[in-house]
Amino acid sequence: MTWYGDAGLNYKGLFASRDEDTLGLAYSHTELSHKPVDDSGRALRSHHEDVLEMTYEVVCSTHVSIQPDLQFIFNPGATEQARTAIVSGVRLNLEF
């Protein structure tokens, strides 16, 4: 990896009735070596991966929150054969 950068923003209280909830948006860019090659030694044109992520933490109580997450991964694996991947998940946060 020759270069990596990311940035993100969180906004709390998007809705007046949900002032403890948090919306999050993030972007990352990863660049591999300047002239990557495949298994046969052939030079690849594409050598970077980008990720766009959105999440929303829903505070259910003082001890429980649920956080769905959606990621769009452009050029996963940083190879020219890769397509865009979509990944989603849900996190359950418990505080004691």
Side-chain angles (χ1 to χ4, degrees), residues 2 4 6 13 17-18 25 29 31 34-36 38 40 42 46 54-56 60 68 70 73-76 83 92:
T2 58
Y4 174 83
D6 63 32
S17 62
R18 308 284 317 165
L25 297 172
H29 176 83
E31 187 173 312
H34 296 293
K35 293 186 179 180
D38 63 13
S40 67
R42 183 176 62 102
S46 184
M54 183 176 79
T55 186
Y56 189 83
C60 302
L70 181 62
I73 305 171
F74 304 98
N75 200 30
R83 297 182 180 176
L92 174 63

mmCIF file with all atom_site columns, all heavy atoms in Angstrom, residues 2 4 6 13 17-18 25 29 31 34-36 38 40 42 46 54-56 60 68 70 73-76 83 92:
data_model
loop_
_atom_site.group_PDB
_atom_site.id
_atom_site.type_symbol
_atom_site.label_atom_id
_atom_site.label_alt_id
_atom_site.label_comp_id
_atom_site.label_asym_id
_atom_site.label_entity_id
_atom_site.label_seq_id
_atom_site.pdbx_PDB_ins_code
_atom_site.Cartn_x
_atom_site.Cartn_y
_atom_site.Cartn_z
_atom_site.occupancy
_atom_site.B_iso_or_equiv
_atom_site.pdbx_formal_charge
_atom_site.auth_seq_id
_atom_site.auth_comp_id
_atom_site.auth_asym_id
_atom_site.auth_atom_id
_atom_site.pdbx_PDB_model_num
ATOM 1   N N   . THR A 1 2  ? 0.695   2.098   -0.991  1.00 0.00 ? 2  THR A N   1
ATOM 2   C CA  . THR A 1 2  ? 1.534   3.296   -1.081  1.00 0.00 ? 2  THR A CA  1
ATOM 3   C C   . THR A 1 2  ? 0.855   4.538   -0.532  1.00 0.00 ? 2  THR A C   1
ATOM 4   O O   . THR A 1 2  ? 1.531   5.511   -0.211  1.00 0.00 ? 2  THR A O   1
ATOM 5   C CB  . THR A 1 2  ? 1.930   3.568   -2.544  1.00 0.00 ? 2  THR A CB  1
ATOM 6   O OG1 . THR A 1 2  ? 0.746   3.727   -3.319  1.00 0.00 ? 2  THR A OG1 1
ATOM 7   C CG2 . THR A 1 2  ? 2.770   2.438   -3.099  1.00 0.00 ? 2  THR A CG2 1
ATOM 8   N N   . TYR A 1 4  ? -2.936  5.915   1.717   1.00 0.00 ? 4  TYR A N   1
ATOM 9   C CA  . TYR A 1 4  ? -4.262  5.677   2.282   1.00 0.00 ? 4  TYR A CA  1
ATOM 10  C C   . TYR A 1 4  ? -4.762  6.975   2.897   1.00 0.00 ? 4  TYR A C   1
ATOM 11  O O   . TYR A 1 4  ? -4.009  7.710   3.548   1.00 0.00 ? 4  TYR A O   1
ATOM 12  C CB  . TYR A 1 4  ? -4.215  4.592   3.366   1.00 0.00 ? 4  TYR A CB  1
ATOM 13  C CG  . TYR A 1 4  ? -5.538  4.437   4.074   1.00 0.00 ? 4  TYR A CG  1
ATOM 14  C CD1 . TYR A 1 4  ? -6.543  3.660   3.520   1.00 0.00 ? 4  TYR A CD1 1
ATOM 15  C CD2 . TYR A 1 4  ? -5.805  5.092   5.265   1.00 0.00 ? 4  TYR A CD2 1
ATOM 16  C CE1 . TYR A 1 4  ? -7.770  3.540   4.132   1.00 0.00 ? 4  TYR A CE1 1
ATOM 17  C CE2 . TYR A 1 4  ? -7.030  4.968   5.892   1.00 0.00 ? 4  TYR A CE2 1
ATOM 18  C CZ  . TYR A 1 4  ? -8.009  4.198   5.321   1.00 0.00 ? 4  TYR A CZ  1
ATOM 19  O OH  . TYR A 1 4  ? -9.237  4.083   5.933   1.00 0.00 ? 4  TYR A OH  1
ATOM 20  N N   . ASP A 1 6  ? -8.637  8.735   4.626   1.00 0.00 ? 6  ASP A N   1
ATOM 21  C CA  . ASP A 1 6  ? -10.073 8.621   4.871   1.00 0.00 ? 6  ASP A CA  1
ATOM 22  C C   . ASP A 1 6  ? -10.582 9.859   5.580   1.00 0.00 ? 6  ASP A C   1
ATOM 23  O O   . ASP A 1 6  ? -9.824  10.630  6.162   1.00 0.00 ? 6  ASP A O   1
ATOM 24  C CB  . ASP A 1 6  ? -10.421 7.351   5.658   1.00 0.00 ? 6  ASP A CB  1
ATOM 25  C CG  . ASP A 1 6  ? -9.821  7.310   7.044   1.00 0.00 ? 6  ASP A CG  1
ATOM 26  O OD1 . ASP A 1 6  ? -9.655  8.359   7.689   1.00 0.00 ? 6  ASP A OD1 1
ATOM 27  O OD2 . ASP A 1 6  ? -9.528  6.204   7.524   1.00 0.00 ? 6  ASP A OD2 1
ATOM 28  N N   . GLY A 1 13 ? -28.502 14.040  16.277  1.00 0.00 ? 13 GLY A N   1
ATOM 29  C CA  . GLY A 1 13 ? -29.760 14.763  16.387  1.00 0.00 ? 13 GLY A CA  1
ATOM 30  C C   . GLY A 1 13 ? -30.349 15.180  15.062  1.00 0.00 ? 13 GLY A C   1
ATOM 31  O O   . GLY A 1 13 ? -30.876 16.277  14.924  1.00 0.00 ? 13 GLY A O   1
ATOM 32  N N   . SER A 1 17 ? -37.068 14.592  17.291  1.00 0.00 ? 17 SER A N   1
ATOM 33  C CA  . SER A 1 17 ? -37.548 13.621  18.275  1.00 0.00 ? 17 SER A CA  1
ATOM 34  C C   . SER A 1 17 ? -36.502 12.543  18.586  1.00 0.00 ? 17 SER A C   1
ATOM 35  O O   . SER A 1 17 ? -36.714 11.712  19.458  1.00 0.00 ? 17 SER A O   1
ATOM 36  C CB  . SER A 1 17 ? -38.833 12.956  17.767  1.00 0.00 ? 17 SER A CB  1
ATOM 37  O OG  . SER A 1 17 ? -38.570 12.249  16.570  1.00 0.00 ? 17 SER A OG  1
ATOM 38  N N   . ARG A 1 18 ? -35.372 12.524  17.877  1.00 0.00 ? 18 ARG A N   1
ATOM 39  C CA  . ARG A 1 18 ? -34.321 11.512  18.054  1.00 0.00 ? 18 ARG A CA  1
ATOM 40  C C   . ARG A 1 18 ? -32.974 12.210  18.261  1.00 0.00 ? 18 ARG A C   1
ATOM 41  O O   . ARG A 1 18 ? -32.022 11.988  17.523  1.00 0.00 ? 18 ARG A O   1
ATOM 42  C CB  . ARG A 1 18 ? -34.252 10.596  16.823  1.00 0.00 ? 18 ARG A CB  1
ATOM 43  C CG  . ARG A 1 18 ? -35.542 9.961   16.367  1.00 0.00 ? 18 ARG A CG  1
ATOM 44  C CD  . ARG A 1 18 ? -36.005 8.822   17.180  1.00 0.00 ? 18 ARG A CD  1
ATOM 45  N NE  . ARG A 1 18 ? -34.928 7.917   17.526  1.00 0.00 ? 18 ARG A NE  1
ATOM 46  C CZ  . ARG A 1 18 ? -35.037 7.012   18.472  1.00 0.00 ? 18 ARG A CZ  1
ATOM 47  N NH1 . ARG A 1 18 ? -36.138 6.896   19.161  1.00 0.00 ? 18 ARG A NH1 1
ATOM 48  N NH2 . ARG A 1 18 ? -34.036 6.214   18.757  1.00 0.00 ? 18 ARG A NH2 1
ATOM 49  N N   . LEU A 1 25 ? -21.267 9.397   7.905   1.00 0.00 ? 25 LEU A N   1
ATOM 50  C CA  . LEU A 1 25 ? -20.870 9.227   6.510   1.00 0.00 ? 25 LEU A CA  1
ATOM 51  C C   . LEU A 1 25 ? -19.348 9.212   6.462   1.00 0.00 ? 25 LEU A C   1
ATOM 52  O O   . LEU A 1 25 ? -18.695 10.017  7.134   1.00 0.00 ? 25 LEU A O   1
ATOM 53  C CB  . LEU A 1 25 ? -21.389 10.377  5.644   1.00 0.00 ? 25 LEU A CB  1
ATOM 54  C CG  . LEU A 1 25 ? -22.899 10.530  5.550   1.00 0.00 ? 25 LEU A CG  1
ATOM 55  C CD1 . LEU A 1 25 ? -23.245 11.826  4.832   1.00 0.00 ? 25 LEU A CD1 1
ATOM 56  C CD2 . LEU A 1 25 ? -23.502 9.350   4.826   1.00 0.00 ? 25 LEU A CD2 1
ATOM 57  N N   . HIS A 1 29 ? -9.891  5.985   0.666   1.00 0.00 ? 29 HIS A N   1
ATOM 58  C CA  . HIS A 1 29 ? -9.204  5.692   -0.598  1.00 0.00 ? 29 HIS A CA  1
ATOM 59  C C   . HIS A 1 29 ? -7.895  4.987   -0.262  1.00 0.00 ? 29 HIS A C   1
ATOM 60  O O   . HIS A 1 29 ? -7.111  5.478   0.547   1.00 0.00 ? 29 HIS A O   1
ATOM 61  C CB  . HIS A 1 29 ? -8.912  6.986   -1.370  1.00 0.00 ? 29 HIS A CB  1
ATOM 62  C CG  . HIS A 1 29 ? -8.140  6.772   -2.621  1.00 0.00 ? 29 HIS A CG  1
ATOM 63  N ND1 . HIS A 1 29 ? -8.744  6.407   -3.805  1.00 0.00 ? 29 HIS A ND1 1
ATOM 64  C CD2 . HIS A 1 29 ? -6.813  6.851   -2.880  1.00 0.00 ? 29 HIS A CD2 1
ATOM 65  C CE1 . HIS A 1 29 ? -7.807  6.290   -4.747  1.00 0.00 ? 29 HIS A CE1 1
ATOM 66  N NE2 . HIS A 1 29 ? -6.631  6.541   -4.201  1.00 0.00 ? 29 HIS A NE2 1
ATOM 67  N N   . GLU A 1 31 ? -4.514  3.202   -2.105  1.00 0.00 ? 31 GLU A N   1
ATOM 68  C CA  . GLU A 1 31 ? -3.762  3.031   -3.349  1.00 0.00 ? 31 GLU A CA  1
ATOM 69  C C   . GLU A 1 31 ? -2.656  2.009   -3.117  1.00 0.00 ? 31 GLU A C   1
ATOM 70  O O   . GLU A 1 31 ? -1.892  2.103   -2.161  1.00 0.00 ? 31 GLU A O   1
ATOM 71  C CB  . GLU A 1 31 ? -3.157  4.356   -3.779  1.00 0.00 ? 31 GLU A CB  1
ATOM 72  C CG  . GLU A 1 31 ? -2.513  4.293   -5.143  1.00 0.00 ? 31 GLU A CG  1
ATOM 73  C CD  . GLU A 1 31 ? -2.082  5.671   -5.616  1.00 0.00 ? 31 GLU A CD  1
ATOM 74  O OE1 . GLU A 1 31 ? -2.892  6.606   -5.539  1.00 0.00 ? 31 GLU A OE1 1
ATOM 75  O OE2 . GLU A 1 31 ? -0.924  5.788   -6.056  1.00 0.00 ? 31 GLU A OE2 1
ATOM 76  N N   . HIS A 1 34 ? 2.404   1.482   -7.453  1.00 0.00 ? 34 HIS A N   1
ATOM 77  C CA  . HIS A 1 34 ? 2.118   2.217   -8.683  1.00 0.00 ? 34 HIS A CA  1
ATOM 78  C C   . HIS A 1 34 ? 2.001   1.332   -9.917  1.00 0.00 ? 34 HIS A C   1
ATOM 79  O O   . HIS A 1 34 ? 1.355   1.700   -10.882 1.00 0.00 ? 34 HIS A O   1
ATOM 80  C CB  . HIS A 1 34 ? 3.190   3.281   -8.906  1.00 0.00 ? 34 HIS A CB  1
ATOM 81  C CG  . HIS A 1 34 ? 3.183   4.319   -7.834  1.00 0.00 ? 34 HIS A CG  1
ATOM 82  N ND1 . HIS A 1 34 ? 2.152   5.212   -7.660  1.00 0.00 ? 34 HIS A ND1 1
ATOM 83  C CD2 . HIS A 1 34 ? 4.064   4.578   -6.840  1.00 0.00 ? 34 HIS A CD2 1
ATOM 84  C CE1 . HIS A 1 34 ? 2.395   5.991   -6.637  1.00 0.00 ? 34 HIS A CE1 1
ATOM 85  N NE2 . HIS A 1 34 ? 3.550   5.631   -6.114  1.00 0.00 ? 34 HIS A NE2 1
ATOM 86  N N   . LYS A 1 35 ? 2.621   0.164   -9.911  1.00 0.00 ? 35 LYS A N   1
ATOM 87  C CA  . LYS A 1 35 ? 2.530   -0.736  -11.060 1.00 0.00 ? 35 LYS A CA  1
ATOM 88  C C   . LYS A 1 35 ? 2.262   -2.158  -10.569 1.00 0.00 ? 35 LYS A C   1
ATOM 89  O O   . LYS A 1 35 ? 3.120   -3.030  -10.648 1.00 0.00 ? 35 LYS A O   1
ATOM 90  C CB  . LYS A 1 35 ? 3.815   -0.696  -11.881 1.00 0.00 ? 35 LYS A CB  1
ATOM 91  C CG  . LYS A 1 35 ? 4.031   0.625   -12.566 1.00 0.00 ? 35 LYS A CG  1
ATOM 92  C CD  . LYS A 1 35 ? 5.221   0.562   -13.472 1.00 0.00 ? 35 LYS A CD  1
ATOM 93  C CE  . LYS A 1 35 ? 5.393   1.901   -14.165 1.00 0.00 ? 35 LYS A CE  1
ATOM 94  N NZ  . LYS A 1 35 ? 6.510   1.920   -15.061 1.00 0.00 ? 35 LYS A NZ  1
ATOM 95  N N   . PRO A 1 36 ? 1.049   -2.427  -10.076 1.00 0.00 ? 36 PRO A N   1
ATOM 96  C CA  . PRO A 1 36 ? 0.751   -3.782  -9.615  1.00 0.00 ? 36 PRO A CA  1
ATOM 97  C C   . PRO A 1 36 ? 0.649   -4.757  -10.789 1.00 0.00 ? 36 PRO A C   1
ATOM 98  O O   . PRO A 1 36 ? 0.349   -4.370  -11.913 1.00 0.00 ? 36 PRO A O   1
ATOM 99  C CB  . PRO A 1 36 ? -0.591  -3.629  -8.910  1.00 0.00 ? 36 PRO A CB  1
ATOM 100 C CG  . PRO A 1 36 ? -1.223  -2.449  -9.561  1.00 0.00 ? 36 PRO A CG  1
ATOM 101 C CD  . PRO A 1 36 ? -0.088  -1.534  -9.940  1.00 0.00 ? 36 PRO A CD  1
ATOM 102 N N   . ASP A 1 38 ? -0.640  -8.938  -11.977 1.00 0.00 ? 38 ASP A N   1
ATOM 103 C CA  . ASP A 1 38 ? -1.446  -10.092 -11.594 1.00 0.00 ? 38 ASP A CA  1
ATOM 104 C C   . ASP A 1 38 ? -0.544  -11.320 -11.443 1.00 0.00 ? 38 ASP A C   1
ATOM 105 O O   . ASP A 1 38 ? 0.687   -11.217 -11.516 1.00 0.00 ? 38 ASP A O   1
ATOM 106 C CB  . ASP A 1 38 ? -2.578  -10.326 -12.600 1.00 0.00 ? 38 ASP A CB  1
ATOM 107 C CG  . ASP A 1 38 ? -2.084  -10.669 -13.999 1.00 0.00 ? 38 ASP A CG  1
ATOM 108 O OD1 . ASP A 1 38 ? -0.878  -10.964 -14.162 1.00 0.00 ? 38 ASP A OD1 1
ATOM 109 O OD2 . ASP A 1 38 ? -2.912  -10.668 -14.920 1.00 0.00 ? 38 ASP A OD2 1
ATOM 110 N N   . SER A 1 40 ? 0.154   -13.674 -13.386 1.00 0.00 ? 40 SER A N   1
ATOM 111 C CA  . SER A 1 40 ? 0.960   -14.013 -14.564 1.00 0.00 ? 40 SER A CA  1
ATOM 112 C C   . SER A 1 40 ? 2.041   -12.964 -14.855 1.00 0.00 ? 40 SER A C   1
ATOM 113 O O   . SER A 1 40 ? 2.775   -13.094 -15.821 1.00 0.00 ? 40 SER A O   1
ATOM 114 C CB  . SER A 1 40 ? 0.054   -14.171 -15.788 1.00 0.00 ? 40 SER A CB  1
ATOM 115 O OG  . SER A 1 40 ? -0.523  -12.922 -16.128 1.00 0.00 ? 40 SER A OG  1
ATOM 116 N N   . ARG A 1 42 ? 1.390   -9.804  -15.589 1.00 0.00 ? 42 ARG A N   1
ATOM 117 C CA  . ARG A 1 42 ? 0.842   -8.759  -16.455 1.00 0.00 ? 42 ARG A CA  1
ATOM 118 C C   . ARG A 1 42 ? 0.489   -7.529  -15.615 1.00 0.00 ? 42 ARG A C   1
ATOM 119 O O   . ARG A 1 42 ? -0.120  -7.623  -14.562 1.00 0.00 ? 42 ARG A O   1
ATOM 120 C CB  . ARG A 1 42 ? -0.423  -9.295  -17.141 1.00 0.00 ? 42 ARG A CB  1
ATOM 121 C CG  . ARG A 1 42 ? -1.067  -8.349  -18.127 1.00 0.00 ? 42 ARG A CG  1
ATOM 122 C CD  . ARG A 1 42 ? -2.247  -9.011  -18.805 1.00 0.00 ? 42 ARG A CD  1
ATOM 123 N NE  . ARG A 1 42 ? -3.283  -9.358  -17.851 1.00 0.00 ? 42 ARG A NE  1
ATOM 124 C CZ  . ARG A 1 42 ? -4.404  -8.653  -17.670 1.00 0.00 ? 42 ARG A CZ  1
ATOM 125 N NH1 . ARG A 1 42 ? -4.637  -7.586  -18.389 1.00 0.00 ? 42 ARG A NH1 1
ATOM 126 N NH2 . ARG A 1 42 ? -5.302  -9.042  -16.794 1.00 0.00 ? 42 ARG A NH2 1
ATOM 127 N N   . SER A 1 46 ? -5.716  -0.769  -12.933 1.00 0.00 ? 46 SER A N   1
ATOM 128 C CA  . SER A 1 46 ? -6.342  -0.246  -11.732 1.00 0.00 ? 46 SER A CA  1
ATOM 129 C C   . SER A 1 46 ? -5.548  -0.658  -10.498 1.00 0.00 ? 46 SER A C   1
ATOM 130 O O   . SER A 1 46 ? -5.136  -1.798  -10.371 1.00 0.00 ? 46 SER A O   1
ATOM 131 C CB  . SER A 1 46 ? -7.770  -0.779  -11.644 1.00 0.00 ? 46 SER A CB  1
ATOM 132 O OG  . SER A 1 46 ? -8.409  -0.221  -10.539 1.00 0.00 ? 46 SER A OG  1
ATOM 133 N N   . MET A 1 54 ? -22.164 4.550   5.015   1.00 0.00 ? 54 MET A N   1
ATOM 134 C CA  . MET A 1 54 ? -23.190 5.296   5.723   1.00 0.00 ? 54 MET A CA  1
ATOM 135 C C   . MET A 1 54 ? -23.696 4.436   6.873   1.00 0.00 ? 54 MET A C   1
ATOM 136 O O   . MET A 1 54 ? -23.920 3.228   6.703   1.00 0.00 ? 54 MET A O   1
ATOM 137 C CB  . MET A 1 54 ? -24.346 5.655   4.797   1.00 0.00 ? 54 MET A CB  1
ATOM 138 C CG  . MET A 1 54 ? -25.397 6.494   5.498   1.00 0.00 ? 54 MET A CG  1
ATOM 139 S SD  . MET A 1 54 ? -26.722 7.046   4.414   1.00 0.00 ? 54 MET A SD  1
ATOM 140 C CE  . MET A 1 54 ? -27.701 5.566   4.319   1.00 0.00 ? 54 MET A CE  1
ATOM 141 N N   . THR A 1 55 ? -23.869 5.059   8.029   1.00 0.00 ? 55 THR A N   1
ATOM 142 C CA  . THR A 1 55 ? -24.370 4.343   9.187   1.00 0.00 ? 55 THR A CA  1
ATOM 143 C C   . THR A 1 55 ? -25.308 5.257   9.967   1.00 0.00 ? 55 THR A C   1
ATOM 144 O O   . THR A 1 55 ? -25.233 6.486   9.844   1.00 0.00 ? 55 THR A O   1
ATOM 145 C CB  . THR A 1 55 ? -23.214 3.843   10.079  1.00 0.00 ? 55 THR A CB  1
ATOM 146 O OG1 . THR A 1 55 ? -23.733 3.038   11.125  1.00 0.00 ? 55 THR A OG1 1
ATOM 147 C CG2 . THR A 1 55 ? -22.417 4.987   10.657  1.00 0.00 ? 55 THR A CG2 1
ATOM 148 N N   . TYR A 1 56 ? -26.199 4.659   10.744  1.00 0.00 ? 56 TYR A N   1
ATOM 149 C CA  . TYR A 1 56 ? -27.129 5.432   11.566  1.00 0.00 ? 56 TYR A CA  1
ATOM 150 C C   . TYR A 1 56 ? -27.316 4.690   12.878  1.00 0.00 ? 56 TYR A C   1
ATOM 151 O O   . TYR A 1 56 ? -27.828 3.566   12.886  1.00 0.00 ? 56 TYR A O   1
ATOM 152 C CB  . TYR A 1 56 ? -28.465 5.627   10.857  1.00 0.00 ? 56 TYR A CB  1
ATOM 153 C CG  . TYR A 1 56 ? -29.374 6.590   11.578  1.00 0.00 ? 56 TYR A CG  1
ATOM 154 C CD1 . TYR A 1 56 ? -29.226 7.957   11.392  1.00 0.00 ? 56 TYR A CD1 1
ATOM 155 C CD2 . TYR A 1 56 ? -30.351 6.146   12.456  1.00 0.00 ? 56 TYR A CD2 1
ATOM 156 C CE1 . TYR A 1 56 ? -30.039 8.860   12.049  1.00 0.00 ? 56 TYR A CE1 1
ATOM 157 C CE2 . TYR A 1 56 ? -31.166 7.040   13.119  1.00 0.00 ? 56 TYR A CE2 1
ATOM 158 C CZ  . TYR A 1 56 ? -31.015 8.395   12.914  1.00 0.00 ? 56 TYR A CZ  1
ATOM 159 O OH  . TYR A 1 56 ? -31.813 9.290   13.580  1.00 0.00 ? 56 TYR A OH  1
ATOM 160 N N   . CYS A 1 60 ? -31.820 3.230   21.602  1.00 0.00 ? 60 CYS A N   1
ATOM 161 C CA  . CYS A 1 60 ? -33.092 2.677   22.078  1.00 0.00 ? 60 CYS A CA  1
ATOM 162 C C   . CYS A 1 60 ? -33.324 2.991   23.554  1.00 0.00 ? 60 CYS A C   1
ATOM 163 O O   . CYS A 1 60 ? -34.454 3.182   23.979  1.00 0.00 ? 60 CYS A O   1
ATOM 164 C CB  . CYS A 1 60 ? -33.123 1.169   21.856  1.00 0.00 ? 60 CYS A CB  1
ATOM 165 S SG  . CYS A 1 60 ? -32.893 0.700   20.137  1.00 0.00 ? 60 CYS A SG  1
ATOM 166 N N   . PRO A 1 68 ? -27.352 0.118   11.996  1.00 0.00 ? 68 PRO A N   1
ATOM 167 C CA  . PRO A 1 68 ? -27.188 -0.450  10.650  1.00 0.00 ? 68 PRO A CA  1
ATOM 168 C C   . PRO A 1 68 ? -26.070 0.278   9.908   1.00 0.00 ? 68 PRO A C   1
ATOM 169 O O   . PRO A 1 68 ? -25.776 1.443   10.185  1.00 0.00 ? 68 PRO A O   1
ATOM 170 C CB  . PRO A 1 68 ? -28.539 -0.213  9.989   1.00 0.00 ? 68 PRO A CB  1
ATOM 171 C CG  . PRO A 1 68 ? -29.193 0.865   10.777  1.00 0.00 ? 68 PRO A CG  1
ATOM 172 C CD  . PRO A 1 68 ? -28.596 0.854   12.144  1.00 0.00 ? 68 PRO A CD  1
ATOM 173 N N   . LEU A 1 70 ? -24.085 0.536   5.864   1.00 0.00 ? 70 LEU A N   1
ATOM 174 C CA  . LEU A 1 70 ? -24.088 0.213   4.440   1.00 0.00 ? 70 LEU A CA  1
ATOM 175 C C   . LEU A 1 70 ? -22.802 0.735   3.815   1.00 0.00 ? 70 LEU A C   1
ATOM 176 O O   . LEU A 1 70 ? -22.437 1.902   4.005   1.00 0.00 ? 70 LEU A O   1
ATOM 177 C CB  . LEU A 1 70 ? -25.299 0.858   3.755   1.00 0.00 ? 70 LEU A CB  1
ATOM 178 C CG  . LEU A 1 70 ? -25.482 0.597   2.267   1.00 0.00 ? 70 LEU A CG  1
ATOM 179 C CD1 . LEU A 1 70 ? -25.695 -0.890  1.992   1.00 0.00 ? 70 LEU A CD1 1
ATOM 180 C CD2 . LEU A 1 70 ? -26.647 1.407   1.730   1.00 0.00 ? 70 LEU A CD2 1
ATOM 181 N N   . ILE A 1 73 ? -18.148 -0.576  -1.929  1.00 0.00 ? 73 ILE A N   1
ATOM 182 C CA  . ILE A 1 73 ? -16.718 -0.735  -2.134  1.00 0.00 ? 73 ILE A CA  1
ATOM 183 C C   . ILE A 1 73 ? -16.468 -0.748  -3.644  1.00 0.00 ? 73 ILE A C   1
ATOM 184 O O   . ILE A 1 73 ? -16.864 -1.681  -4.344  1.00 0.00 ? 73 ILE A O   1
ATOM 185 C CB  . ILE A 1 73 ? -16.195 -2.026  -1.485  1.00 0.00 ? 73 ILE A CB  1
ATOM 186 C CG1 . ILE A 1 73 ? -16.577 -2.036  -0.006  1.00 0.00 ? 73 ILE A CG1 1
ATOM 187 C CG2 . ILE A 1 73 ? -14.691 -2.148  -1.667  1.00 0.00 ? 73 ILE A CG2 1
ATOM 188 C CD1 . ILE A 1 73 ? -16.312 -3.343  0.694   1.00 0.00 ? 73 ILE A CD1 1
ATOM 189 N N   . PHE A 1 74 ? -15.842 0.311   -4.121  1.00 0.00 ? 74 PHE A N   1
ATOM 190 C CA  . PHE A 1 74 ? -15.566 0.460   -5.542  1.00 0.00 ? 74 PHE A CA  1
ATOM 191 C C   . PHE A 1 74 ? -14.198 -0.135  -5.833  1.00 0.00 ? 74 PHE A C   1
ATOM 192 O O   . PHE A 1 74 ? -13.220 0.209   -5.194  1.00 0.00 ? 74 PHE A O   1
ATOM 193 C CB  . PHE A 1 74 ? -15.614 1.933   -5.940  1.00 0.00 ? 74 PHE A CB  1
ATOM 194 C CG  . PHE A 1 74 ? -16.915 2.593   -5.589  1.00 0.00 ? 74 PHE A CG  1
ATOM 195 C CD1 . PHE A 1 74 ? -17.040 3.349   -4.437  1.00 0.00 ? 74 PHE A CD1 1
ATOM 196 C CD2 . PHE A 1 74 ? -18.023 2.420   -6.400  1.00 0.00 ? 74 PHE A CD2 1
ATOM 197 C CE1 . PHE A 1 74 ? -18.245 3.942   -4.099  1.00 0.00 ? 74 PHE A CE1 1
ATOM 198 C CE2 . PHE A 1 74 ? -19.243 3.007   -6.076  1.00 0.00 ? 74 PHE A CE2 1
ATOM 199 C CZ  . PHE A 1 74 ? -19.349 3.769   -4.923  1.00 0.00 ? 74 PHE A CZ  1
ATOM 200 N N   . ASN A 1 75 ? -14.150 -1.044  -6.785  1.00 0.00 ? 75 ASN A N   1
ATOM 201 C CA  . ASN A 1 75 ? -12.921 -1.712  -7.179  1.00 0.00 ? 75 ASN A CA  1
ATOM 202 C C   . ASN A 1 75 ? -12.318 -2.525  -6.021  1.00 0.00 ? 75 ASN A C   1
ATOM 203 O O   . ASN A 1 75 ? -11.162 -2.345  -5.660  1.00 0.00 ? 75 ASN A O   1
ATOM 204 C CB  . ASN A 1 75 ? -11.916 -0.676  -7.703  1.00 0.00 ? 75 ASN A CB  1
ATOM 205 C CG  . ASN A 1 75 ? -10.847 -1.300  -8.542  1.00 0.00 ? 75 ASN A CG  1
ATOM 206 O OD1 . ASN A 1 75 ? -11.072 -2.303  -9.201  1.00 0.00 ? 75 ASN A OD1 1
ATOM 207 N ND2 . ASN A 1 75 ? -9.667  -0.725  -8.510  1.00 0.00 ? 75 ASN A ND2 1
ATOM 208 N N   . PRO A 1 76 ? -13.121 -3.401  -5.402  1.00 0.00 ? 76 PRO A N   1
ATOM 209 C CA  . PRO A 1 76 ? -12.607 -4.172  -4.261  1.00 0.00 ? 76 PRO A CA  1
ATOM 210 C C   . PRO A 1 76 ? -11.404 -5.021  -4.650  1.00 0.00 ? 76 PRO A C   1
ATOM 211 O O   . PRO A 1 76 ? -11.363 -5.616  -5.721  1.00 0.00 ? 76 PRO A O   1
ATOM 212 C CB  . PRO A 1 76 ? -13.790 -5.044  -3.847  1.00 0.00 ? 76 PRO A CB  1
ATOM 213 C CG  . PRO A 1 76 ? -14.706 -5.069  -5.014  1.00 0.00 ? 76 PRO A CG  1
ATOM 214 C CD  . PRO A 1 76 ? -14.468 -3.805  -5.777  1.00 0.00 ? 76 PRO A CD  1
ATOM 215 N N   . ARG A 1 83 ? -15.560 -5.641  -9.500  1.00 0.00 ? 83 ARG A N   1
ATOM 216 C CA  . ARG A 1 83 ? -16.759 -4.824  -9.649  1.00 0.00 ? 83 ARG A CA  1
ATOM 217 C C   . ARG A 1 83 ? -17.058 -4.176  -8.309  1.00 0.00 ? 83 ARG A C   1
ATOM 218 O O   . ARG A 1 83 ? -16.403 -4.442  -7.323  1.00 0.00 ? 83 ARG A O   1
ATOM 219 C CB  . ARG A 1 83 ? -17.922 -5.692  -10.082 1.00 0.00 ? 83 ARG A CB  1
ATOM 220 C CG  . ARG A 1 83 ? -17.701 -6.323  -11.431 1.00 0.00 ? 83 ARG A CG  1
ATOM 221 C CD  . ARG A 1 83 ? -18.892 -7.121  -11.832 1.00 0.00 ? 83 ARG A CD  1
ATOM 222 N NE  . ARG A 1 83 ? -18.636 -7.722  -13.140 1.00 0.00 ? 83 ARG A NE  1
ATOM 223 C CZ  . ARG A 1 83 ? -19.458 -8.530  -13.727 1.00 0.00 ? 83 ARG A CZ  1
ATOM 224 N NH1 . ARG A 1 83 ? -20.587 -8.855  -13.151 1.00 0.00 ? 83 ARG A NH1 1
ATOM 225 N NH2 . ARG A 1 83 ? -19.164 -9.025  -14.909 1.00 0.00 ? 83 ARG A NH2 1
ATOM 226 N N   . LEU A 1 92 ? -25.342 -4.368  17.263  1.00 0.00 ? 92 LEU A N   1
ATOM 227 C CA  . LEU A 1 92 ? -26.120 -4.193  18.486  1.00 0.00 ? 92 LEU A CA  1
ATOM 228 C C   . LEU A 1 92 ? -25.146 -3.802  19.588  1.00 0.00 ? 92 LEU A C   1
ATOM 229 O O   . LEU A 1 92 ? -24.221 -4.541  19.897  1.00 0.00 ? 92 LEU A O   1
ATOM 230 C CB  . LEU A 1 92 ? -26.850 -5.485  18.857  1.00 0.00 ? 92 LEU A CB  1
ATOM 231 C CG  . LEU A 1 92 ? -27.598 -5.480  20.191  1.00 0.00 ? 92 LEU A CG  1
ATOM 232 C CD1 . LEU A 1 92 ? -28.731 -4.446  20.168  1.00 0.00 ? 92 LEU A CD1 1
ATOM 233 C CD2 . LEU A 1 92 ? -28.126 -6.864  20.510  1.00 0.00 ? 92 LEU A CD2 1
#
